[in-house]
Amino acid sequence: QVQLAESGGGLVQAGGSLRLSCAASGRPYAMGWFRQAPGKEREFVAAIRWSGLSTYSEDSVKGRFTISRDNAKNTVYLQMNSLKHEDTAVYYCAAARVRMTDFRGDYDYWGQGTQVTVSS
C-alpha cells in the first residue's frame, strides 16, 4: 500500500508558475500526475520512473511542465511554468507498481488532489 499526499496548488495568474509536490509512503515503480477540469475526463500530464531515468509528458505541457523526484524525501514534483487558463484543474498524483504509462488504469494508488486555478 502506497499513500500519497499532494500539496502546492493554488491561484496564479496566466504566465505564472507553481510547483506541486507529492509525498509518497513508499517507492513504487513509477509516479504520474493527472488532472481533471470541471466536466472533463481525468487526463494524463506527466510520469516518471522512480529511478528517474526516464520521464514522459503530455504534448500540451511539454516545454512548460517538468516532472522530477527527490529520493531522499520520497517526493515527486511537478514544476509548472507559463501557466495558461486551460491548465486550471484538480491535479492528482498517482503511483504505479508495474509500469510507467499515460493510462489511468495502470495506476494503483491516488492522492486526494490539489486545485490549480489559473486566472486569465
Side-chain angles (χ1 to χ4, degrees):
Q1 186 81 7
V2 176
Q3 294 181 325
L4 306 171
E6 301 107 329
S7 61
L11 173 64
V12 64
Q13 289 187 333
S17 298
L18 280 175
R19 188 177 78 159
L20 305 183
S21 300
C22 176
S25 62
R27 290 191 180 180
Y29 181 81
M31 298 285 290
W33 286 98
F34 289 74
R35 65 186 180 185
Q36 187 167 17
K40 294 188 176 182
E41 294 286 320
R42 191 172 299 187
E43 65 175 9
F44 171 77
V45 176
I48 186 169
R49 287 194 176 92
W50 198 263
S51 65
L53 295 179
S54 59
T55 64
Y56 174 50
S57 58
E58 195 267 331
D59 286 346
S60 70
V61 306
K62 283 181 179 175
R64 299 190 299 123
F65 292 10
T66 302
I67 188 170
S68 63
R69 91 281 180 259
D70 184 329
N71 284 348
K73 297 182 178 180
N74 262 27
T75 299
V76 173
Y77 303 99
L78 185 68
Q79 177 66 44
M80 305 186 294
N81 299 327
S82 302
L83 282 161
K84 305 176 182 179
H85 178 67
E86 51 265 40
D87 294 319
T88 296
V90 177
Y91 283 70
Y92 296 90
C93 172
R97 291 178 295 179
V98 176
R99 61 178 62 88
M100 179 184 75
T101 74
D102 59 0
F103 178 51
R104 188 173 66 188
D106 283 336
Y107 288 82
D108 304 288
Y109 308 101
W110 292 84
Q112 79 285 356
T114 185
Q115 177 70 48
V116 171
T117 302
V118 184
S119 62
S120 54

PDB file of all heavy atoms in Angstrom, residues 25-62:
ATOM      1  N   SER A  25       4.515   7.281   0.570  1.00  0.00           N
ATOM      2  CA  SER A  25       4.917   6.490   1.732  1.00  0.00           C
ATOM      3  C   SER A  25       5.847   5.358   1.346  1.00  0.00           C
ATOM      4  O   SER A  25       6.412   4.696   2.214  1.00  0.00           O
ATOM      5  CB  SER A  25       3.683   5.924   2.441  1.00  0.00           C
ATOM      6  OG  SER A  25       2.974   5.054   1.579  1.00  0.00           O
ATOM      7  N   GLY A  26       5.989   5.079   0.041  1.00  0.00           N
ATOM      8  CA  GLY A  26       6.881   4.043  -0.436  1.00  0.00           C
ATOM      9  C   GLY A  26       7.508   4.455  -1.753  1.00  0.00           C
ATOM     10  O   GLY A  26       7.421   5.624  -2.141  1.00  0.00           O
ATOM     11  N   ARG A  27       8.131   3.498  -2.449  1.00  0.00           N
ATOM     12  CA  ARG A  27       8.748   3.797  -3.749  1.00  0.00           C
ATOM     13  C   ARG A  27       8.181   2.854  -4.794  1.00  0.00           C
ATOM     14  O   ARG A  27       8.754   1.791  -5.042  1.00  0.00           O
ATOM     15  CB  ARG A  27      10.261   3.685  -3.657  1.00  0.00           C
ATOM     16  CG  ARG A  27      10.888   4.796  -2.844  1.00  0.00           C
ATOM     17  CD  ARG A  27      12.390   4.814  -2.988  1.00  0.00           C
ATOM     18  NE  ARG A  27      12.999   5.888  -2.206  1.00  0.00           N
ATOM     19  CZ  ARG A  27      14.303   6.109  -2.161  1.00  0.00           C
ATOM     20  NH1 ARG A  27      15.133   5.347  -2.854  1.00  0.00           N
ATOM     21  NH2 ARG A  27      14.777   7.100  -1.436  1.00  0.00           N
ATOM     22  N   PRO A  28       7.083   3.248  -5.408  1.00  0.00           N
ATOM     23  CA  PRO A  28       6.528   2.414  -6.472  1.00  0.00           C
ATOM     24  C   PRO A  28       7.400   2.469  -7.720  1.00  0.00           C
ATOM     25  O   PRO A  28       8.382   3.206  -7.758  1.00  0.00           O
ATOM     26  CB  PRO A  28       5.164   3.068  -6.726  1.00  0.00           C
ATOM     27  CG  PRO A  28       5.377   4.500  -6.348  1.00  0.00           C
ATOM     28  CD  PRO A  28       6.327   4.481  -5.187  1.00  0.00           C
ATOM     29  N   TYR A  29       7.063   1.701  -8.728  1.00  0.00           N
ATOM     30  CA  TYR A  29       7.848   1.675  -9.954  1.00  0.00           C
ATOM     31  C   TYR A  29       7.829   3.026 -10.655  1.00  0.00           C
ATOM     32  O   TYR A  29       8.845   3.504 -11.159  1.00  0.00           O
ATOM     33  CB  TYR A  29       7.317   0.597 -10.894  1.00  0.00           C
ATOM     34  CG  TYR A  29       8.098   0.508 -12.164  1.00  0.00           C
ATOM     35  CD1 TYR A  29       9.306  -0.188 -12.214  1.00  0.00           C
ATOM     36  CD2 TYR A  29       7.648   1.145 -13.320  1.00  0.00           C
ATOM     37  CE1 TYR A  29      10.045  -0.245 -13.363  1.00  0.00           C
ATOM     38  CE2 TYR A  29       8.384   1.094 -14.487  1.00  0.00           C
ATOM     39  CZ  TYR A  29       9.588   0.379 -14.498  1.00  0.00           C
ATOM     40  OH  TYR A  29      10.318   0.331 -15.646  1.00  0.00           O
ATOM     41  N   ALA A  30       6.654   3.658 -10.707  1.00  0.00           N
ATOM     42  CA  ALA A  30       6.520   4.931 -11.408  1.00  0.00           C
ATOM     43  C   ALA A  30       5.496   5.812 -10.706  1.00  0.00           C
ATOM     44  O   ALA A  30       4.615   5.327  -9.999  1.00  0.00           O
ATOM     45  CB  ALA A  30       6.103   4.703 -12.854  1.00  0.00           C
ATOM     46  N   MET A  31       5.640   7.094 -10.940  1.00  0.00           N
ATOM     47  CA  MET A  31       4.690   8.069 -10.412  1.00  0.00           C
ATOM     48  C   MET A  31       4.169   8.909 -11.568  1.00  0.00           C
ATOM     49  O   MET A  31       4.896   9.175 -12.532  1.00  0.00           O
ATOM     50  CB  MET A  31       5.381   8.997  -9.405  1.00  0.00           C
ATOM     51  CG  MET A  31       5.942   8.285  -8.196  1.00  0.00           C
ATOM     52  SD  MET A  31       4.658   7.797  -7.043  1.00  0.00           S
ATOM     53  CE  MET A  31       4.173   9.405  -6.412  1.00  0.00           C
ATOM     54  N   GLY A  32       2.934   9.322 -11.453  1.00  0.00           N
ATOM     55  CA  GLY A  32       2.360  10.145 -12.505  1.00  0.00           C
ATOM     56  C   GLY A  32       1.537  11.286 -11.945  1.00  0.00           C
ATOM     57  O   GLY A  32       1.121  11.246 -10.790  1.00  0.00           O
ATOM     58  N   TRP A  33       1.349  12.282 -12.792  1.00  0.00           N
ATOM     59  CA  TRP A  33       0.433  13.380 -12.489  1.00  0.00           C
ATOM     60  C   TRP A  33      -0.686  13.363 -13.527  1.00  0.00           C
ATOM     61  O   TRP A  33      -0.419  13.240 -14.730  1.00  0.00           O
ATOM     62  CB  TRP A  33       1.148  14.726 -12.535  1.00  0.00           C
ATOM     63  CG  TRP A  33       2.038  14.998 -11.369  1.00  0.00           C
ATOM     64  CD1 TRP A  33       3.386  14.826 -11.298  1.00  0.00           C
ATOM     65  CD2 TRP A  33       1.638  15.510 -10.093  1.00  0.00           C
ATOM     66  NE1 TRP A  33       3.852  15.184 -10.060  1.00  0.00           N
ATOM     67  CE2 TRP A  33       2.793  15.610  -9.292  1.00  0.00           C
ATOM     68  CE3 TRP A  33       0.416  15.886  -9.530  1.00  0.00           C
ATOM     69  CZ2 TRP A  33       2.774  16.076  -7.974  1.00  0.00           C
ATOM     70  CZ3 TRP A  33       0.393  16.351  -8.225  1.00  0.00           C
ATOM     71  CH2 TRP A  33       1.560  16.437  -7.463  1.00  0.00           C
ATOM     72  N   PHE A  34      -1.900  13.487 -13.051  1.00  0.00           N
ATOM     73  CA  PHE A  34      -3.074  13.604 -13.892  1.00  0.00           C
ATOM     74  C   PHE A  34      -3.821  14.867 -13.475  1.00  0.00           C
ATOM     75  O   PHE A  34      -3.564  15.416 -12.408  1.00  0.00           O
ATOM     76  CB  PHE A  34      -3.997  12.390 -13.710  1.00  0.00           C
ATOM     77  CG  PHE A  34      -3.452  11.119 -14.288  1.00  0.00           C
ATOM     78  CD1 PHE A  34      -2.422  10.439 -13.660  1.00  0.00           C
ATOM     79  CD2 PHE A  34      -3.964  10.602 -15.465  1.00  0.00           C
ATOM     80  CE1 PHE A  34      -1.911   9.260 -14.197  1.00  0.00           C
ATOM     81  CE2 PHE A  34      -3.473   9.422 -16.011  1.00  0.00           C
ATOM     82  CZ  PHE A  34      -2.443   8.752 -15.368  1.00  0.00           C
ATOM     83  N   ARG A  35      -4.729  15.307 -14.319  1.00  0.00           N
ATOM     84  CA  ARG A  35      -5.547  16.457 -13.956  1.00  0.00           C
ATOM     85  C   ARG A  35      -6.966  16.275 -14.478  1.00  0.00           C
ATOM     86  O   ARG A  35      -7.186  15.582 -15.470  1.00  0.00           O
ATOM     87  CB  ARG A  35      -4.946  17.759 -14.491  1.00  0.00           C
ATOM     88  CG  ARG A  35      -4.904  17.855 -16.007  1.00  0.00           C
ATOM     89  CD  ARG A  35      -4.166  19.121 -16.437  1.00  0.00           C
ATOM     90  NE  ARG A  35      -4.090  19.257 -17.885  1.00  0.00           N
ATOM     91  CZ  ARG A  35      -3.423  20.210 -18.515  1.00  0.00           C
ATOM     92  NH1 ARG A  35      -2.758  21.130 -17.808  1.00  0.00           N
ATOM     93  NH2 ARG A  35      -3.411  20.262 -19.836  1.00  0.00           N
ATOM     94  N   GLN A  36      -7.879  16.929 -13.788  1.00  0.00           N
ATOM     95  CA  GLN A  36      -9.281  16.834 -14.180  1.00  0.00           C
ATOM     96  C   GLN A  36      -9.921  18.210 -14.060  1.00  0.00           C
ATOM     97  O   GLN A  36     -10.007  18.767 -12.957  1.00  0.00           O
ATOM     98  CB  GLN A  36     -10.019  15.814 -13.319  1.00  0.00           C
ATOM     99  CG  GLN A  36     -11.433  15.551 -13.786  1.00  0.00           C
ATOM    100  CD  GLN A  36     -12.034  14.318 -13.123  1.00  0.00           C
ATOM    101  OE1 GLN A  36     -11.539  13.835 -12.100  1.00  0.00           O
ATOM    102  NE2 GLN A  36     -13.089  13.796 -13.718  1.00  0.00           N
ATOM    103  N   ALA A  37     -10.355  18.734 -15.200  1.00  0.00           N
ATOM    104  CA  ALA A  37     -11.064  20.012 -15.235  1.00  0.00           C
ATOM    105  C   ALA A  37     -12.560  19.750 -15.080  1.00  0.00           C
ATOM    106  O   ALA A  37     -13.025  18.648 -15.377  1.00  0.00           O
ATOM    107  CB  ALA A  37     -10.773  20.729 -16.548  1.00  0.00           C
ATOM    108  N   PRO A  38     -13.331  20.741 -14.643  1.00  0.00           N
ATOM    109  CA  PRO A  38     -14.771  20.545 -14.470  1.00  0.00           C
ATOM    110  C   PRO A  38     -15.433  20.059 -15.745  1.00  0.00           C
ATOM    111  O   PRO A  38     -15.215  20.619 -16.824  1.00  0.00           O
ATOM    112  CB  PRO A  38     -15.265  21.950 -14.093  1.00  0.00           C
ATOM    113  CG  PRO A  38     -14.084  22.605 -13.475  1.00  0.00           C
ATOM    114  CD  PRO A  38     -12.892  22.075 -14.211  1.00  0.00           C
ATOM    115  N   GLY A  39     -16.204  18.989 -15.630  1.00  0.00           N
ATOM    116  CA  GLY A  39     -16.938  18.455 -16.767  1.00  0.00           C
ATOM    117  C   GLY A  39     -16.102  17.659 -17.750  1.00  0.00           C
ATOM    118  O   GLY A  39     -16.605  17.264 -18.806  1.00  0.00           O
ATOM    119  N   LYS A  40     -14.835  17.422 -17.420  1.00  0.00           N
ATOM    120  CA  LYS A  40     -13.963  16.685 -18.343  1.00  0.00           C
ATOM    121  C   LYS A  40     -13.415  15.428 -17.685  1.00  0.00           C
ATOM    122  O   LYS A  40     -13.447  15.279 -16.466  1.00  0.00           O
ATOM    123  CB  LYS A  40     -12.808  17.583 -18.790  1.00  0.00           C
ATOM    124  CG  LYS A  40     -13.241  18.771 -19.634  1.00  0.00           C
ATOM    125  CD  LYS A  40     -12.046  19.498 -20.206  1.00  0.00           C
ATOM    126  CE  LYS A  40     -12.481  20.619 -21.118  1.00  0.00           C
ATOM    127  NZ  LYS A  40     -11.319  21.324 -21.723  1.00  0.00           N
ATOM    128  N   GLU A  41     -12.901  14.540 -18.540  1.00  0.00           N
ATOM    129  CA  GLU A  41     -12.279  13.328 -18.045  1.00  0.00           C
ATOM    130  C   GLU A  41     -10.924  13.648 -17.398  1.00  0.00           C
ATOM    131  O   GLU A  41     -10.275  14.631 -17.751  1.00  0.00           O
ATOM    132  CB  GLU A  41     -12.050  12.345 -19.195  1.00  0.00           C
ATOM    133  CG  GLU A  41     -13.313  11.809 -19.840  1.00  0.00           C
ATOM    134  CD  GLU A  41     -13.998  10.791 -18.960  1.00  0.00           C
ATOM    135  OE1 GLU A  41     -13.284   9.970 -18.341  1.00  0.00           O
ATOM    136  OE2 GLU A  41     -15.239  10.825 -18.870  1.00  0.00           O
ATOM    137  N   ARG A  42     -10.525  12.774 -16.492  1.00  0.00           N
ATOM    138  CA  ARG A  42      -9.193  12.910 -15.918  1.00  0.00           C
ATOM    139  C   ARG A  42      -8.173  12.572 -16.999  1.00  0.00           C
ATOM    140  O   ARG A  42      -8.270  11.529 -17.647  1.00  0.00           O
ATOM    141  CB  ARG A  42      -9.036  11.988 -14.709  1.00  0.00           C
ATOM    142  CG  ARG A  42      -7.789  12.254 -13.892  1.00  0.00           C
ATOM    143  CD  ARG A  42      -7.799  11.441 -12.601  1.00  0.00           C
ATOM    144  NE  ARG A  42      -8.943  11.788 -11.756  1.00  0.00           N
ATOM    145  CZ  ARG A  42      -9.107  11.328 -10.512  1.00  0.00           C
ATOM    146  NH1 ARG A  42      -8.183  10.527  -9.977  1.00  0.00           N
ATOM    147  NH2 ARG A  42     -10.171  11.660  -9.818  1.00  0.00           N
ATOM    148  N   GLU A  43      -7.176  13.437 -17.179  1.00  0.00           N
ATOM    149  CA  GLU A  43      -6.217  13.232 -18.250  1.00  0.00           C
ATOM    150  C   GLU A  43      -4.788  13.191 -17.720  1.00  0.00           C
ATOM    151  O   GLU A  43      -4.461  13.801 -16.701  1.00  0.00           O
ATOM    152  CB  GLU A  43      -6.344  14.342 -19.308  1.00  0.00           C
ATOM    153  CG  GLU A  43      -5.993  15.728 -18.806  1.00  0.00           C
ATOM    154  CD  GLU A  43      -6.021  16.768 -19.921  1.00  0.00           C
ATOM    155  OE1 GLU A  43      -6.466  16.453 -21.049  1.00  0.00           O
ATOM    156  OE2 GLU A  43      -5.587  17.913 -19.656  1.00  0.00           O
ATOM    157  N   PHE A  44      -3.961  12.497 -18.476  1.00  0.00           N
ATOM    158  CA  PHE A  44      -2.559  12.344 -18.128  1.00  0.00           C
ATOM    159  C   PHE A  44      -1.810  13.650 -18.338  1.00  0.00           C
ATOM    160  O   PHE A  44      -2.056  14.378 -19.294  1.00  0.00           O
ATOM    161  CB  PHE A  44      -1.948  11.250 -19.006  1.00  0.00           C
ATOM    162  CG  PHE A  44      -0.463  11.123 -18.907  1.00  0.00           C
ATOM    163  CD1 PHE A  44       0.121  10.500 -17.815  1.00  0.00           C
ATOM    164  CD2 PHE A  44       0.358  11.619 -19.904  1.00  0.00           C
ATOM    165  CE1 PHE A  44       1.498  10.375 -17.723  1.00  0.00           C
ATOM    166  CE2 PHE A  44       1.734  11.489 -19.833  1.00  0.00           C
ATOM    167  CZ  PHE A  44       2.307  10.867 -18.736  1.00  0.00           C
ATOM    168  N   VAL A  45      -0.854  13.916 -17.435  1.00  0.00           N
ATOM    169  CA  VAL A  45       0.000  15.095 -17.576  1.00  0.00           C
ATOM    170  C   VAL A  45       1.456  14.680 -17.754  1.00  0.00           C
ATOM    171  O   VAL A  45       2.099  15.035 -18.733  1.00  0.00           O
ATOM    172  CB  VAL A  45      -0.133  16.027 -16.353  1.00  0.00           C
ATOM    173  CG1 VAL A  45       0.833  17.200 -16.469  1.00  0.00           C
ATOM    174  CG2 VAL A  45      -1.562  16.528 -16.212  1.00  0.00           C
ATOM    175  N   ALA A  46       1.979  13.909 -16.811  1.00  0.00           N
ATOM    176  CA  ALA A  46       3.390  13.525 -16.865  1.00  0.00           C
ATOM    177  C   ALA A  46       3.632  12.335 -15.964  1.00  0.00           C
ATOM    178  O   ALA A  46       2.859  12.071 -15.042  1.00  0.00           O
ATOM    179  CB  ALA A  46       4.284  14.690 -16.449  1.00  0.00           C
ATOM    180  N   ALA A  47       4.722  11.607 -16.233  1.00  0.00           N
ATOM    181  CA  ALA A  47       5.074  10.449 -15.415  1.00  0.00           C
ATOM    182  C   ALA A  47       6.587  10.329 -15.339  1.00  0.00           C
ATOM    183  O   ALA A  47       7.313  10.833 -16.208  1.00  0.00           O
ATOM    184  CB  ALA A  47       4.461   9.180 -15.994  1.00  0.00           C
ATOM    185  N   ILE A  48       7.032   9.617 -14.309  1.00  0.00           N
ATOM    186  CA  ILE A  48       8.462   9.412 -14.106  1.00  0.00           C
ATOM    187  C   ILE A  48       8.684   8.062 -13.439  1.00  0.00           C
ATOM    188  O   ILE A  48       7.901   7.660 -12.572  1.00  0.00           O
ATOM    189  CB  ILE A  48       9.049  10.553 -13.231  1.00  0.00           C
ATOM    190  CG1 ILE A  48      10.563  10.461 -13.121  1.00  0.00           C
ATOM    191  CG2 ILE A  48       8.409  10.592 -11.839  1.00  0.00           C
ATOM    192  CD1 ILE A  48      11.213  11.696 -12.497  1.00  0.00           C
ATOM    193  N   ARG A  49       9.712   7.357 -13.879  1.00  0.00           N
ATOM    194  CA  ARG A  49      10.107   6.148 -13.172  1.00  0.00           C
ATOM    195  C   ARG A  49      10.793   6.564 -11.874  1.00  0.00           C
ATOM    196  O   ARG A  49      11.518   7.562 -11.854  1.00  0.00           O
ATOM    197  CB  ARG A  49      11.059   5.313 -14.014  1.00  0.00           C
ATOM    198  CG  ARG A  49      10.393   4.601 -15.169  1.00  0.00           C
ATOM    199  CD  ARG A  49      11.295   3.517 -15.759  1.00  0.00           C
ATOM    200  NE  ARG A  49      10.609   2.776 -16.799  1.00  0.00           N
ATOM    201  CZ  ARG A  49      10.644   3.085 -18.095  1.00  0.00           C
ATOM    202  NH1 ARG A  49      11.332   4.117 -18.505  1.00  0.00           N
ATOM    203  NH2 ARG A  49       9.980   2.349 -18.966  1.00  0.00           N
ATOM    204  N   TRP A  50      10.585   5.786 -10.813  1.00  0.00           N
ATOM    205  CA  TRP A  50      11.190   6.189  -9.553  1.00  0.00           C
ATOM    206  C   TRP A  50      12.709   6.241  -9.665  1.00  0.00           C
ATOM    207  O   TRP A  50      13.365   6.998  -8.968  1.00  0.00           O
ATOM    208  CB  TRP A  50      10.767   5.273  -8.406  1.00  0.00           C
ATOM    209  CG  TRP A  50      11.045   5.958  -7.103  1.00  0.00           C
ATOM    210  CD1 TRP A  50      12.121   5.810  -6.299  1.00  0.00           C
ATOM    211  CD2 TRP A  50      10.220   6.966  -6.503  1.00  0.00           C
ATOM    212  NE1 TRP A  50      12.021   6.662  -5.221  1.00  0.00           N
ATOM    213  CE2 TRP A  50      10.874   7.366  -5.311  1.00  0.00           C
ATOM    214  CE3 TRP A  50       9.014   7.560  -6.860  1.00  0.00           C
ATOM    215  CZ2 TRP A  50      10.338   8.341  -4.477  1.00  0.00           C
ATOM    216  CZ3 TRP A  50       8.497   8.521  -6.015  1.00  0.00           C
ATOM    217  CH2 TRP A  50       9.153   8.907  -4.842  1.00  0.00           C
ATOM    218  N   SER A  51      13.282   5.448 -10.581  1.00  0.00           N
ATOM    219  CA  SER A  51      14.722   5.507 -10.820  1.00  0.00           C
ATOM    220  C   SER A  51      15.127   6.865 -11.390  1.00  0.00           C
ATOM    221  O   SER A  51      16.293   7.243 -11.348  1.00  0.00           O
ATOM    222  CB  SER A  51      15.140   4.411 -11.792  1.00  0.00           C
ATOM    223  OG  SER A  51      14.558   4.648 -13.065  1.00  0.00           O
ATOM    224  N   GLY A  52      14.136   7.583 -11.962  1.00  0.00           N
ATOM    225  CA  GLY A  52      14.416   8.895 -12.519  1.00  0.00           C
ATOM    226  C   GLY A  52      15.069   8.855 -13.878  1.00  0.00           C
ATOM    227  O   GLY A  52      15.393   9.893 -14.440  1.00  0.00           O
ATOM    228  N   LEU A  53      15.225   7.634 -14.421  1.00  0.00           N
ATOM    229  CA  LEU A  53      15.955   7.511 -15.676  1.00  0.00           C
ATOM    230  C   LEU A  53      15.119   7.925 -16.879  1.00  0.00           C
ATOM    231  O   LEU A  53      15.661   8.155 -17.955  1.00  0.00           O
ATOM    232  CB  LEU A  53      16.460   6.073 -15.847  1.00  0.00           C
ATOM    233  CG  LEU A  53      17.499   5.632 -14.818  1.00  0.00           C
ATOM    234  CD1 LEU A  53      17.904   4.191 -15.061  1.00  0.00           C
ATOM    235  CD2 LEU A  53      18.710   6.547 -14.866  1.00  0.00           C
ATOM    236  N   SER A  54      13.821   7.983 -16.723  1.00  0.00           N
ATOM    237  CA  SER A  54      13.013   8.413 -17.854  1.00  0.00           C
ATOM    238  C   SER A  54      11.765   9.118 -17.372  1.00  0.00           C
ATOM    239  O   SER A  54      11.252   8.825 -16.287  1.00  0.00           O
ATOM    240  CB  SER A  54      12.643   7.227 -18.740  1.00  0.00           C
ATOM    241  OG  SER A  54      11.931   6.266 -18.012  1.00  0.00           O
ATOM    242  N   THR A  55      11.322  10.042 -18.181  1.00  0.00           N
ATOM    243  CA  THR A  55      10.096  10.766 -17.903  1.00  0.00           C
ATOM    244  C   THR A  55       9.260  10.830 -19.178  1.00  0.00           C
ATOM    245  O   THR A  55       9.761  10.556 -20.275  1.00  0.00           O
ATOM    246  CB  THR A  55      10.376  12.198 -17.421  1.00  0.00           C
ATOM    247  OG1 THR A  55      11.027  12.922 -18.477  1.00  0.00           O
ATOM    248  CG2 THR A  55      11.271  12.216 -16.197  1.00  0.00           C
ATOM    249  N   TYR A  56       8.027  11.189 -19.014  1.00  0.00           N
ATOM    250  CA  TYR A  56       7.111  11.220 -20.148  1.00  0.00           C
ATOM    251  C   TYR A  56       6.054  12.264 -19.832  1.00  0.00           C
ATOM    252  O   TYR A  56       5.543  12.311 -18.715  1.00  0.00           O
ATOM    253  CB  TYR A  56       6.484   9.846 -20.326  1.00  0.00           C
ATOM    254  CG  TYR A  56       5.408   9.735 -21.369  1.00  0.00           C
ATOM    255  CD1 TYR A  56       5.590  10.208 -22.662  1.00  0.00           C
ATOM    256  CD2 TYR A  56       4.196   9.129 -21.066  1.00  0.00           C
ATOM    257  CE1 TYR A  56       4.595  10.093 -23.607  1.00  0.00           C
ATOM    258  CE2 TYR A  56       3.205   9.008 -22.008  1.00  0.00           C
ATOM    259  CZ  TYR A  56       3.404   9.486 -23.276  1.00  0.00           C
ATOM    260  OH  TYR A  56       2.417   9.374 -24.216  1.00  0.00           O
ATOM    261  N   SER A  57       5.744  13.119 -20.788  1.00  0.00           N
ATOM    262  CA  SER A  57       4.734  14.126 -20.542  1.00  0.00           C
ATOM    263  C   SER A  57       3.826  14.305 -21.746  1.00  0.00           C
ATOM    264  O   SER A  57       4.196  13.992 -22.882  1.00  0.00           O
ATOM    265  CB  SER A  57       5.378  15.458 -20.151  1.00  0.00           C
ATOM    266  OG  SER A  57       6.258  15.885 -21.161  1.00  0.00           O
ATOM    267  N   GLU A  58       2.653  14.801 -21.474  1.00  0.00           N
ATOM    268  CA  GLU A  58       1.645  15.012 -22.496  1.00  0.00           C
ATOM    269  C   GLU A  58       2.056  16.193 -23.373  1.00  0.00           C
ATOM    270  O   GLU A  58       2.697  17.140 -22.901  1.00  0.00           O
ATOM    271  CB  GLU A  58       0.310  15.248 -21.803  1.00  0.00           C
ATOM    272  CG  GLU A  58      -0.917  15.147 -22.672  1.00  0.00           C
ATOM    273  CD  GLU A  58      -1.332  16.479 -23.234  1.00  0.00           C
ATOM    274  OE1 GLU A  58      -1.077  17.514 -22.597  1.00  0.00           O
ATOM    275  OE2 GLU A  58      -1.882  16.494 -24.354  1.00  0.00           O
ATOM    276  N   ASP A  59       1.696  16.172 -24.638  1.00  0.00           N
ATOM    277  CA  ASP A  59       2.191  17.167 -25.594  1.00  0.00           C
ATOM    278  C   ASP A  59       1.878  18.605 -25.207  1.00  0.00           C
ATOM    279  O   ASP A  59       2.715  19.497 -25.391  1.00  0.00           O
ATOM    280  CB  ASP A  59       1.623  16.880 -26.984  1.00  0.00           C
ATOM    281  CG  ASP A  59       2.267  15.679 -27.640  1.00  0.00           C
ATOM    282  OD1 ASP A  59       3.330  15.223 -27.153  1.00  0.00           O
ATOM    283  OD2 ASP A  59       1.720  15.178 -28.634  1.00  0.00           O
ATOM    284  N   SER A  60       0.700  18.844 -24.655  1.00  0.00           N
ATOM    285  CA  SER A  60       0.311  20.222 -24.385  1.00  0.00           C
ATOM    286  C   SER A  60       1.107  20.865 -23.251  1.00  0.00           C
ATOM    287  O   SER A  60       1.072  22.082 -23.088  1.00  0.00           O
ATOM    288  CB  SER A  60      -1.182  20.302 -24.060  1.00  0.00           C
ATOM    289  OG  SER A  60      -1.452  19.721 -22.799  1.00  0.00           O
ATOM    290  N   VAL A  61       1.820  20.057 -22.475  1.00  0.00           N
ATOM    291  CA  VAL A  61       2.592  20.632 -21.368  1.00  0.00           C
ATOM    292  C   VAL A  61       4.089  20.554 -21.596  1.00  0.00           C
ATOM    293  O   VAL A  61       4.869  21.076 -20.790  1.00  0.00           O
ATOM    294  CB  VAL A  61       2.232  19.959 -20.017  1.00  0.00           C
ATOM    295  CG1 VAL A  61       0.733  20.018 -19.776  1.00  0.00           C
ATOM    296  CG2 VAL A  61       2.752  18.531 -19.954  1.00  0.00           C
ATOM    297  N   LYS A  62       4.502  19.910 -22.673  1.00  0.00           N
ATOM    298  CA  LYS A  62       5.937  19.792 -22.943  1.00  0.00           C
ATOM    299  C   LYS A  62       6.547  21.178 -23.110  1.00  0.00           C
ATOM    300  O   LYS A  62       5.983  22.040 -23.778  1.00  0.00           O
ATOM    301  CB  LYS A  62       6.171  18.943 -24.197  1.00  0.00           C
ATOM    302  CG  LYS A  62       6.006  17.463 -23.946  1.00  0.00           C
ATOM    303  CD  LYS A  62       6.261  16.648 -25.199  1.00  0.00           C
ATOM    304  CE  LYS A  62       6.104  15.167 -24.900  1.00  0.00           C
ATOM    305  NZ  LYS A  62       6.233  14.319 -26.110  1.00  0.00           N
TER     306      LYS A  62
END
